[in-house]
Amino acid sequence: MNIIIRPAREEEQSEIALCIAEGFEQDFSFFRKNIDVVAKALEPGIRSERFYVALYNGNIVGIAGISDCTGRAVYTNWSSYRKCFGLIMGTIAKLVLKKEFEMPLSYPVTTGFIEFVATRKTIRRSGIASMLLQESMRKAGYKEYILDVIEENHPAVNCYRKLGFIGFKKTKKKNGYTKLFMKLNMQNMP
């Protein structure tokens, strides 16, 4: 499989949003079950300069956002949420997602924060997420990377562990899941 990994381009916002909507379909299903509607709502908030994409046959099949203390990969856009989800659900989306998407990161400038790692359904479990992460972390050039993942998402946790990430903190979420924080020093990457 010939995969190309490169920084995202501004004109790829809609494809990045679709990847996020599909990859986190269960999380966004509270607002809308239709992933195309979710993608349309997310699109204006995508900061493409903070994403890397995996291409297969010219199509985006995976994405990874890498943020830092200077800004996050996605911001909330209330007017877009309102338009796509309706007034009430759009307002709820803004309130719920703002903290998750926009909370400032207190990590040093040498630390990258990995967020929104997703692959298209048709290509999952093919190793693309691992390739995408390895290459995007090398290209981004941070000394250390931190991410958070739902501990019960075993495929994702296993992927991160194989890359050398280790858990360092857990927090219980209101929905009953446990958020696992993991980090990787680039010197320790296999």
Side-chain angles (χ1 to χ4, degrees):
M1 195 178 292
N2 187 19
I3 302 295
I4 296 169
I5 295 163
R6 63 162 171 75
R9 298 177 182 145
E10 188 174 343
E11 65 270 13
E12 294 170 330
Q13 281 180 299
S14 63
E15 290 177 85
I16 294 167
L18 185 58
C19 241
I20 292 170
E22 194 173 285
F24 297 90
E25 183 175 5
Q26 185 177 350
D27 299 314
F28 290 116
S29 67
F30 174 77
F31 306 113
R32 277 288 183 276
K33 298 205 183 309
N34 183 321
I35 63 167
D36 292 321
V37 172
V38 171
K40 199 55 133 171
L42 295 173
E43 185 179 339
I46 300 295
R47 301 175 89 184
S48 53
E49 72 276 7
R50 296 197 178 267
F51 279 91
Y52 288 84
V53 296
L55 298 160
Y56 177 64
N57 288 338
N59 297 311
I60 294 176
V61 295
I63 54 106
I66 301 182
S67 303
D68 59 28
C69 61
T70 65
R72 301 290 298 270
V74 176
Y75 66 90
T76 54
N77 184 302
W78 186 61
S79 63
S80 178
Y81 292 176
R82 189 179 61 223
K83 181 179 176 184
C84 295
F85 300 148
L87 177 63
I88 294 170
M89 198 55 78
T91 302
I92 293 169
K94 171 73 172 174
L95 295 171
V96 170
L97 299 176
K98 185 170 181 68
K99 181 181 176 190
E100 188 71 27
F101 289 4
E102 298 181 37
M103 181 181 290
L105 300 171
S106 60
Y107 309 124
V109 73
T110 56
T111 300
F113 183 71
I114 296 173
E115 52 187 341
F116 300 107
V117 177
T119 55
R120 300 299 307 266
K121 283 182 184 179
T122 56
I123 205 137
R124 287 192 187 143
R125 300 187 200 264
S126 63
I128 288 177
S130 294
M131 283 189 286
L132 173 62
L133 284 167
Q134 283 180 318
E135 188 62 23
S136 61
M137 287 188 299
R138 281 191 186 102
K139 287 180 188 250
Y142 293 97
K143 291 181 181 178
E144 179 179 64
Y145 289 91
I146 293 177
L147 59 80
D148 65 60
V149 61
I150 300 300
E151 187 176 42
E152 294 80 3
N153 183 348
H154 300 293
V157 171
N158 290 336
C159 173
Y160 300 139
R161 283 197 174 122
K162 286 178 186 173
L163 290 171
F165 280 88
I166 56 168
F168 70 92
K169 181 173 117 178
K170 294 181 184 182
T171 58
K172 199 76 164 164
K173 293 186 70 162
K174 291 178 184 174
N175 60 8
Y177 290 110
T178 301
K179 188 183 276 193
L180 172 64
F181 289 83
M182 303 179 85
K183 65 181 172 181
L184 169 72
N185 185 309
M186 284 301 283
Q187 294 175 338
N188 299 333
M189 192 163 115

